[in-house]
Amino acid sequence: MQHPEVESLDRDGILKVQREGLAGLGARLAECDAWKAHFAEAGMKPEDLASEDGLANAPFMDKSLLRDRYPFPFLTVPMEKVERFVATSGTTGLPVTFGMTKNDLHGLLPYQMARLLTAAGVRSGFRAYQGYGYGLWIGGPALDAGFSAVGCTNFPIGPGRGELAARWLRDHAYDVASMSPLWLMTLVQAAKHQGIDPRTEWTLKVAILGGQSVSAEFRAQLEAELPQGFMSQNIYGTTEAGGPILAISTPYTHADDELQLLNEDTVIVEILDPKTMKPVSDGEVGEIVVTTLRKEASPVVRWRTRDLVRLSPRPYDCPSGRRGMRKIGRIIGRTDDMIKFKGVIVFPSQIEDVIAGIPGLAKEAWQIYVDKEATTIGKMTVAVESVSAEQRPGEVCAADVRREIKARLGINVNVECHAEGALPRYEAKATRVLHRPEAAH
């Protein structure tokens, strides 16, 4: 444990820290007119967060609320106290900016990231290939902060330059890599095309994979391509929460395909039924809702992430000794990337689960094409790629995908099987659902 005095607390201990944090947060927000007006709309004051039911009654936040206050919504400190800004991707509209004070960037973020990386198996002295992007995206700076705090030697390569990165993974002897899981699989293929065997010539011990959740089947196939003992760990967070700081899988949760919410002393995570907005029970699916306790410049209170997750059936029994921080499953999908097709709710992750289990297909390259930009879809096409080296006819692969989707989801979809290399590769977050009017053909 990086911080055993916190990580070993029981649930009551964590809740006590959260109550103290909410009282402090409410006092800070009470000094900001925008926050006072936001709480007033719900008949509350920010100071009410200190009461026992204060958070449960507090108003929710989402991107539309912030866009109405463009360009610097709910900035809680003077602009001269902001060291840098980060922003959401803007894939669903105008990007939303979030400020970071000196302490947000150089105090809180390293504290949070070091805990996650240590729990995942990253150690001082590791050579780190940092493959997340930079600019306004928080991914790269967050991993830089974490690797520095743990004591790693960082190579901040960012995404792209696949052929060179595949060689550097051998020549620089990296121990840990942080990137999209799809990009790591792409690098495995790039290495093979250059005559490099990742299983024997790379030295990776662990990968910190984020940007999208992948199936256990995909993860197992990726791990089989890499050195013996290698383990991939899924990291999860959001820009609004302060970065990829919410949860990570560890050697103790990996086999159950679960992550652990390891920063519940600095961020409150509610898992709520998206219809009733009430807490779900152990083992049930809900939406992740986030309240940041210690962010200074751009805190959020009850931020709706739209990410859906299953709370572990046994959230508090981690053998690591972290008894007060809950475990969750991998992200199932988002409420806003859900497809309703012929009366059936479909998430891209369910399609990926099918593709990952079909031999002869590229696991990192697939798309869903829909016939209109809406949540209720009339026509849907799944596009996949055949891997030439495996010599399985494309029509056989397509038939397998079609049959498995019908068996698992009860729907008939069009399936196209393309030649290897025809579909896009994603260096960061993959865009799996695309609008294509001709999807019916």
Side-chain angles (χ1 to χ4, degrees):
M1 296 184 186
Q2 181 76 9
H3 309 115
E5 71 284 359
V6 175
E7 294 176 71
S8 61
L9 290 173
D10 61 15
R11 189 60 181 169
D12 287 341
I14 293 293
L15 292 175
K16 180 175 183 292
V17 172
Q18 291 181 349
R19 286 192 296 271
E20 293 169 352
L22 281 170
L25 175 64
R28 294 197 307 277
L29 300 186
E31 299 177 4
C32 177
D33 289 341
W35 279 106
K36 287 191 288 187
H38 174 62
F39 274 83
E41 290 179 6
M44 295 178 65
K45 298 181 295 183
E47 297 95 329
D48 292 336
L49 288 175
S51 63
E52 191 164 328
D53 61 350
L55 183 63
N57 290 313
F60 292 97
M61 304 177 71
D62 60 18
K63 285 184 180 177
S64 63
L65 179 72
L66 270 59
R67 289 184 178 125
D68 289 344
R69 290 157 176 79
Y70 177 86
F72 307 119
F74 292 102
L75 192 62
T76 311
V77 299
M79 183 63 76
E80 57 268 23
K81 296 287 188 182
V82 178
E83 180 163 325
R84 70 166 289 164
F85 275 93
V86 296
T88 59
S89 62
T91 53
T92 57
L94 191 68
V96 176
T97 57
F98 293 83
M100 300 184 77
T101 65
K102 181 177 182 179
N103 186 62
D104 290 338
L105 187 61
H106 302 294
L108 179 60
L109 185 60
Y111 171 85
Q112 294 169 322
M113 289 300 303
R115 181 182 297 171
L116 265 64
L117 294 178
T118 299
V122 179
R123 297 292 177 261
S124 178
F126 273 16
R127 300 179 190 181
Y129 167 7
Q130 201 309 95
Y132 291 118
Y134 290 91
L136 280 169
W137 192 41
I138 187 61
L143 270 295
D144 284 350
F147 287 141
S148 177
V150 173
C152 297
T153 301
N154 189 10
F155 295 77
I157 299 166
R161 296 195 291 178
E163 289 189 5
L164 178 60
R167 291 198 297 270
W168 276 355
L169 275 155
R170 176 194 63 191
D171 300 341
H172 292 175
Y174 303 131
D175 301 287
V176 57
S178 55
M179 62 185 65
S180 153
L182 306 177
W183 185 240
L184 183 54
M185 183 66 91
T186 299
L187 291 178
V188 167
Q189 304 306 323
K192 290 181 176 180
H193 289 156
Q194 297 176 78
I196 299 170
D197 185 352
R199 282 172 289 196
T200 59
E201 297 183 78
W202 288 4
T203 55
L204 282 180
K205 299 176 178 65
V206 61
I208 308 300
L209 302 179
Q212 63 272 314
S213 183
V214 296
S215 68
E217 177 71 23
F218 180 97
R219 184 189 68 187
Q221 293 178 12
L222 179 61
E223 290 176 343
E225 298 281 3
L226 291 159
Q228 186 173 6
F230 168 85
M231 190 174 284
S232 65
Q233 304 294 9
N234 187 18
I235 193 170
Y236 169 70
T238 69
T239 302
E240 300 84 7
I245 52 86
L246 291 175
I248 200 164
S249 61
T250 75
Y252 297 96
T253 69
H254 182 275
D256 292 330
D257 197 19
E258 292 185 332
L259 298 79
Q260 195 160 22
L261 296 163
L262 286 181
N263 279 310
E264 289 202 278
D265 58 322
T266 58
V267 183
I268 294 177
V269 177
E270 299 175 89
I271 302 176
L272 307 179
D273 183 310
K275 293 181 180 178
T276 66
M277 300 314 291
K278 300 297 183 184
V280 303
S281 300
D282 297 353
E284 293 183 347
V285 173
E287 178 183 339
I288 292 178
V289 175
V290 172
T291 297
T292 57
L293 297 176
R294 286 174 47 185
K295 278 178 68 182
E296 293 177 343
S298 294
V300 294
V301 176
R302 306 199 93 188
W303 174 266
R304 296 192 61 174
T305 67
R306 308 293 177 179
D307 290 329
L308 295 172
V309 74
R310 187 180 304 279
L311 182 60
S312 173
R314 303 175 307 278
Y316 301 110
D317 71 344
C318 187
S320 67
R322 298 179 179 94
R323 300 171 295 145
M325 298 183 179
R326 294 165 297 168
K327 296 181 296 178
I328 58 175
R330 62 185 169 96
I331 303 301
I332 295 170
R334 291 178 54 82
T335 59
D336 50 12
D337 72 5
M338 179 180 75
I339 301 168
K340 191 171 185 181
F341 177 65
K342 298 183 178 178
V344 177
I345 300 300
V346 180
F347 289 100
S349 60
Q350 295 172 302
I351 302 299
E352 182 191 58
D353 285 347
V354 169
I355 294 168
I358 303 293
L361 295 179
K363 310 308 179 187
E364 73 277 17
W366 56 276
Q367 294 290 158
I368 299 171
Y369 297 111
V370 297
D371 66 335
K372 62 181 179 178
E373 296 179 86
T375 55
T376 301
I377 305 303
K379 300 290 183 182
M380 188 166 77
T381 297
V382 176
V384 295
E385 271 186 17
S386 60
V387 177
S388 57
E390 298 193 29
Q391 297 184 329
R392 289 197 83 216
E395 61 270 19
V396 174
C397 294
D400 287 348
V401 173
R402 195 178 301 112
R403 183 186 65 252
E404 280 298 305
I405 290 176
K406 173 65 174 178
R408 296 192 195 189
L409 303 180
I411 57 176
N412 291 305
V413 301
N414 301 319
V415 179
E416 303 171 350
C417 190
H418 297 265
E420 189 170 4
L423 297 175
R425 266 65 176 169
Y426 294 95
E427 298 170 358
K429 185 179 293 187
T431 303
R432 289 306 190 195
V433 182
L434 297 175
H435 174 231
R436 192 176 73 174
E438 66 273 21
H441 303 304

